[in-house]
Amino acid sequence: VRQRQRSEVSVEKRRILFVDDDLDMRIFLSTVLKTAGYEAVPARNAIEGIQKAREQTPDLIIMDVMMPQAGGVTLFQAVKKDEQLKHIPVIMLTGVSAKAFSHHLKMLNIRLDDSLPPPDAHMEKPLDPEKLIGKIKEFLHST
């Protein structure tokens, strides 16, 4: 009876959506996240990313900035304008420096009626898995 009770009590895993057009990066992120005990939800592009975000309401979103078609900035804008999703922390992954990305966001905000907040975190590639997990824990386990 004790074993059955233990198996019925399940700890809900935190769900992390990650959006990157590079298959190797999606495999890498999936491995890092699953190894750290998170539920990993991959998406190949911004369109798939926003769809999965709306369907699965992740606890955190990791997104690449540079993607073909609708890129990470477009996805970030869609997430932050969506009432259901705008509270979700976002970590931007990119080969672009934080300063360059911040400048890009500032220029975008000049054209928008309702400006976007900065992402919750910005991490440059190549990615250090330990730093990524540390950043995720800051957002998901600080409460």
Side-chain angles (χ1 to χ4, degrees):
V1 175
R2 269 190 188 164
Q3 287 179 344
R4 184 178 299 160
Q5 287 175 340
R6 283 186 193 160
S7 65
E8 288 173 3
V9 177
S10 64
V11 176
E12 188 174 330
K13 287 185 178 183
R14 298 292 192 121
R15 180 177 298 140
I16 299 176
L17 170 66
F18 54 97
V19 186
D20 200 303
D21 61 309
D22 183 321
L23 175 61
D24 290 337
M25 183 56 102
R26 287 195 309 273
I27 292 168
F28 171 74
L29 286 170
S30 182
T31 302
V32 168
L33 295 172
K34 286 178 181 177
T35 300
Y38 297 104
E39 179 183 342
V41 179
R44 295 174 299 206
N45 55 47
I47 295 163
E48 188 177 303
I50 195 68
Q51 180 181 13
K52 286 188 176 186
R54 287 179 177 143
E55 289 170 359
Q56 301 191 28
T57 315
D59 297 295
L60 184 134
I61 301 172
I62 299 170
M63 63 179 76
D64 186 19
V65 173
M66 305 300 285
M67 293 185 284
Q69 298 164 337
V73 174
T74 303
L75 175 58
F76 180 70
Q77 185 177 2
V79 167
K80 292 303 174 184
K81 300 280 182 191
D82 188 301
E83 286 300 317
Q84 176 190 344
L85 305 174
K86 68 182 183 181
H87 69 281
I88 299 171
V90 173
I91 298 175
M92 300 297 285
L93 293 183
T94 181
V96 177
S97 72
K99 185 176 180 180
F101 180 77
S102 176
H103 177 73
H104 176 74
L105 195 59
K106 185 185 284 186
M107 294 299 103
L108 178 65
N109 280 336
I110 289 171
R111 296 190 325 234
L112 297 174
D113 293 333
D114 186 20
S115 65
L116 293 170
D120 297 282
H122 179 279
M123 299 187 79
E124 291 182 42
K125 293 178 181 178
L127 190 61
D128 178 331
E130 290 180 15
K131 285 184 181 177
L132 175 63
I133 295 302
K135 192 57 72 177
I136 290 168
K137 285 180 179 179
E138 279 180 37
F139 293 119
L140 298 185
H141 304 290
S142 61
T143 55

